[in-house]
Amino acid sequence: MDILDTDLENIEQGDHCASSGRKSHHSDKTKKNLVTRLNRIEGQIRGIKGLIEKDTYCDDVITQISATQAALNSVAKLLLEGHMKTCIVERIQEGDHEVVDELLVTIQKLMKK
């Protein structure tokens, strides 16, 4: 089981979005994991800035940018999967089928990147 599978299991075990208040309810463990990942990404961004300031070879900088994008995509994937398995399912069960259009817009935003 990889990290994403573990995180999705945590989401499925109680992390869900409140459909009325449009607020997510992630477990403390999931929030800590997401913040840890984002802190790591923030460090990668600072590292890329430092590489540019040091006139590092362009290909090396691009490689670091690619790694950072992959890490950010991993966070987005985790959130999207959890959102679909909880928030979207709940809202459909409540009869709110407009949530599918919202989901499609969200997926389109992610695919532009």
Side-chain angles (χ1 to χ4, degrees), residues 33-70:
N33 180 284
L34 291 169
V35 168
T36 298
R37 287 170 180 254
L38 291 169
N39 285 339
R40 194 175 306 124
I41 292 166
E42 186 177 23
Q44 288 176 293
I45 297 292
R46 282 193 303 272
I48 291 167
K49 181 180 173 189
L51 293 175
I52 291 171
E53 290 171 344
K54 295 175 189 171
D55 295 320
T56 302
Y57 185 62
C58 297
D59 190 59
D60 295 336
V61 177
I62 291 168
T63 298
Q64 291 304 312
I65 290 171
S66 177
T68 303
Q69 287 173 325

Side-chain angles (χ1 to χ4, degrees), residues 16-24 79-80 82-92 94 96-111:
H16 61 279
C17 302
S19 58
S20 60
R22 294 185 55 95
K23 185 176 180 182
S24 65
L79 287 169
L80 180 62
H83 181 59
M84 290 173 65
K85 289 182 177 185
T86 56
C87 306
I88 300 300
V89 169
E90 286 176 9
R91 288 178 61 183
I92 288 172
E94 293 169 357
D96 180 2
H97 296 281
E98 291 176 10
V99 72
V100 174
D101 292 330
E102 177 186 296
L103 177 61
L104 291 171
V105 168
T106 299
I107 291 171
Q108 287 173 354
K109 288 176 187 176
L110 286 173
M111 291 180 76

Side-chain angles (χ1 to χ4, degrees), residues 22-34:
R22 294 185 55 95
K23 185 176 180 182
S24 65
H25 295 281
H26 300 292
S27 71
D28 289 339
K29 183 177 180 180
T30 298
K31 277 194 245 184
K32 183 177 180 183
N33 180 284
L34 291 169

Side-chain angles (χ1 to χ4, degrees), residues 70-85:
L72 200 50
N73 285 339
S74 179
V75 170
K77 179 182 174 186
L78 175 63
L79 287 169
L80 180 62
E81 288 185 47
H83 181 59
M84 290 173 65
K85 289 182 177 185

